Amino acid sequence: MDEGGSRLRRRVSVRKRARPSPGEPRQERAEEPGAGSRRRRTAEAQPLQSNDSDEDMFGDYDSFAENSFLAHVDDAGRQCMQDCERGKHAAGLGTEGLRGEGGATAAGGFAEWETDEPVRSRSRREDASAQRGTLEDVPSSQALYFGNVENSPAGVGNQRPEERGWEASSLDTPNEEFPRNSVEQHQQPDDASSEVRRGSEENRRKSLKEHLKSAMTGNARAQTPVFSRTKQLKETLLSEEISVAKKTMESSSDDLGPFYSLPSKVRDLYVQFKGIEKLYEWQHTCLTLNSVQERKNLIYSLPTSGGKTLVAEILMLQELLCRRRDVLMILPYVAIVQEKISGLSSFGIELGFFVEEYAGSKGKFPPIKRREKKSLYIATIEKGHSLVNSLIETGRIGSLGLVVVDELHMIGEGSRGAILEMTLAKILYTSKTTQIIGMSATLNNVEDLQEFLQAECYTSQFRPYSDTLKKMDPDHLVALVTEVIPNYSCLVFCPTKKNCENVAEMICKFLSKEYLKHREKEKHELIKNLKSISGGNVCPILKRTIPFGVAYHHSGLTSDEKRLLEEAYSTGALCLFTCTSTLAAGVNLPARRVILRAPYVAKEFLKRSQYKQMIGRAGRAGIDSVGESVLILQEKDKQQVSELISRPLENCYSHLVQEFTKGIQTLFLSLIGLKIATNLDDICHFMGGTLFGVQQKILLKEKSLREITVEWLRYLTEKGLLQKDVVDKPKDESFHITKLGRASFKGTIDLAYCDILYRDLKKGLEGLVLESLLHLIYLTTPYDMASQCVPDWMIYFRQFSQLSPAEQNVAALLGVSENFIGKKASGQAIKKKVDKDIVNRLYLSFVLYTLLKETNIWSVSEKFNMPRGYIQSLLAGAASFSSCVLHFCEELEEFWVYRALLVELTKKLTYCVKAELIPLMEVTGVLEGRAKQLYNAGYKSLIHLANANPEVLIRTVDHLSRRQAKQIVSSAKMLLHEKAEALQEEVEELLRLPSDFPSVEASSTEKA
């Protein structure tokens, strides 16, 4: 038995012995010259080659070629059969020969087999006497196969590979160590077993090659912990560099490590993904500031396109990789959030962190708590506020290591500025370990913001190109444009949407036909794609201008149309955009020349900050080295323009008190609801730390901060959102939040509408119509959009007359009759008073209801005579508000019936497409048009996209650039990893023993 066991172990372990490193002297036995010379000849004939295990899935065992291991095993089998037929050896020698020859083949670099019998016999004797080893040196699927050969009298020869199947052959528990005793117990050589083995030798020979191939393929396909050597080395290196970076950051050393305390892989990824090889001098200075190294709060202000974002990204990566804490990045618009997610998802996949979107109706509150990988939350201002609230409520605000705010100057702009101020004030008050970084191109009174954020400031006037070129000839717009297009790009900012369209058409009338030939095929494809995403429709103006490389860009376009036009502009197929000021604050679309058609935004004169943002699109960092800006003006505007260019930036003032319902009221409600501050003194103390508190001497003239606080707390109490606690002393006056108050702040409902919403939902319970979606849609139509709506009464009457009986019941419940709409349409006087807001809201509900039924924005746009962009904004607003109403209802038990209904409605409003496209549209940047293209190309699920090859995507999906294809695949992979991680953590949670599980000792104590 021992002899048999040693034979088996020898056969599968000689691989190490006979594979010396190049240049290493071979140790040969003097008494075996034949074998030694054979091995030396083999080494000369077949030198060792380096084999990248990332490309070679099986390492040294995978080749199925004629000179492969399997081919030699086949030859070995034939030779053994010849030995058996000639009767030259004992009964069990055939198997021994197979073992010895197979081992020699594997060990000798797959040597050619000698036909000289004495030499082969000597080689086998040498192997038998000289080699001992273990089964750890071969893949376990092969080890198990050899074990099965010894274990079964019939071997595997009686079971054909096609009968057993590929999957069955991979069940040989790959990568599991084969126990020695199980090998030894198979070795029971006797005459009977020798006869059986000899009888099955022919079948074994035939199936040996096929079975090994099957086993190795199954082993490779299985999810095993065996990684390639190259990958292991890369991961080990990355891990070591991160460890070094951690130690460096913890120490006071000036050595910043490979790349600003980050692994060198980060630098390589910036070169690979963004083409950034070197930082600007100001970026290096900013990253090496003492305040940054000491994790102090920082505000840095530079002109637009100075490269501010790169600094923020490096600081975020330091926090995620080295300090192992979560990061929140707050951006002003949904489009910028999606652009940033697409850009950073590939970094997340390579470096091992999650990138999560919080915009519109997307985002989970509270966020998933992850054990290993950290999360980068990229959020809009509103969603960032909700996220911070949920982290404070669950006691997890300390897990947030860094908050980055882009366009910090927006803190002084209306209700959104008030929400941003509340968010930052809460972070400052509740977490002393969270660093805040604010960046902006347009700040003036930065000292107030420094005091509010307790931050240091870094400023620079760096711009990566020559300064503004000023021309003021209003009659040469075409000449200004044709100086740069089509070889370079140009943006023409216009005051109104209609002006954008007119200017685009006017320019095309004066362009020569030579412009039609520039990238003609790509422009033809663009028009074709615009038609395909719009059900065969395309704007007639775009149809005329795109062949010249010109297009307009404003909010009247749908998101799909904007995306296609922006992609074409980025690739150079389009060279000129006529656009409104919103593009300046939106996605990154730079130009060689920026022209301001007039110094106005609509009818208002241009602000200094708006002007800076517009001209900042010229020659943006990392994209173009040269940029120019041209301002066209009338004689009457010269004085104002002179002041515009020369005067300093506007000051930034708090809107916390000006925006009552979205500002100070919401702040007080959340402070008490989250128990950050519940009594008057604590609330006043908190208010002193806000930007409003810093600027109270300027903003408060008649009342003190305490008086305003008392006044608004009284108002919230009267409204039923707060309730006073009963206390002995008036000075100890404290408050607690009511159920309605909690529902309002958890749902982030504008407090101007919270009582109306409660009343509408309560009334809806009395006769909720579920035969159609109209009633639910009405309840989730945004109040603020309804107040701005001006219905077309003829269209209103036409739509009303087409309602089904169930839908007419909805209108009747709301108090809107067909007779009233008919009189409004005919211009008759109406004596009966009807709530205007309800009538307007129902009209918008008709628009949304029609859109959900038809899912074609073009037909709905024509039916209601509304711009496509407005309808899409309405849809996005309704989806977001539906999500808010859902959270509102979750806090009030009486509205339990709405919960399940609103979950589905929110999903329908978010995507507004056929059900099969929804999984694809979960991927950031994939809108309806692109989702249809992907679906038609065979990519029908998130898994398909995550495993897609970008190069194949480019060939199969029209008008898709390589950069966009890579971003789609990266975003899909990130989303898939997030879902898999969440499921894995849920499984671990289910299998974990509860902390309060009764122990044996506790049970015995109770019995005693």
Side-chain angles (χ1 to χ4, degrees), residues 65-200:
E66 291 183 358
N67 64 343
S68 69
F69 173 49
L70 297 175
H72 296 318
V73 169
D74 200 26
D75 293 340
R78 289 195 184 94
Q79 188 59 50
C80 290
M81 287 304 300
Q82 291 173 11
D83 291 346
C84 293
E85 289 169 3
R86 293 171 188 167
K88 290 183 179 180
H89 299 286
L93 195 56
T95 306
E96 182 185 15
L98 174 65
R99 293 174 192 144
E101 289 160 4
T105 307
F110 311 136
E112 295 181 6
W113 285 84
E114 299 285 341
T115 55
D116 186 84
E117 278 300 311
V119 173
R120 290 220 319 269
S121 299
R122 286 196 301 273
S123 175
R124 286 196 297 273
R125 287 197 300 273
E126 176 197 29
D127 290 340
S129 61
Q131 298 300 324
R132 295 293 183 270
T134 67
L135 289 170
E136 296 173 352
D137 296 319
V138 296
S140 55
S141 56
Q142 297 174 39
L144 272 174
Y145 169 71
F146 291 125
N148 290 338
V149 169
E150 296 296 328
N151 188 33
S152 172
V156 291
N158 296 335
Q159 194 176 17
R160 303 290 298 167
E162 49 269 31
E163 294 172 352
R164 189 176 180 205
W166 287 99
E167 295 301 326
S169 67
S170 67
L171 295 176
D172 295 332
T173 59
N175 307 302
E176 184 178 333
E177 185 176 346
F178 196 84
R180 289 173 182 264
N181 57 0
S182 65
V183 177
E184 292 175 357
Q185 70 183 7
H186 294 320
Q187 312 303 318
Q188 299 176 5
D190 54 35
D191 293 340
S193 63
S194 298
E195 289 296 328
V196 173
R197 282 197 299 272
R198 189 165 57 250
S200 64

Side-chain angles (χ1 to χ4, degrees), residues 469 471 473 476-485 490 593 595 630 632:
L469 169 67
K471 294 186 179 180
D473 184 359
H476 290 79
L477 179 61
V478 175
L480 290 171
V481 165
T482 52
E483 283 178 3
V484 290
I485 67 168
C490 182
R593 178 172 289 178
I595 301 171
V630 178
I632 299 174

Side-chain angles (χ1 to χ4, degrees), residues 15-16 79 114 158 189 246 329-330 353 363 376 452 510 524 564 708 714 757 770 872 876 917 1000:
R15 179 165 163 253
K16 271 192 177 178
Q79 188 59 50
E114 299 285 341
N158 296 335
K246 285 181 185 177
M329 186 178 200
I330 298 176
F353 61 87
L376 168 58
F452 163 47
F510 291 97
H524 176 73
L564 282 176
I708 285 180
R714 187 187 305 118
L757 175 62
L770 296 178
Q872 197 160 53
L917 297 181
V1000 178

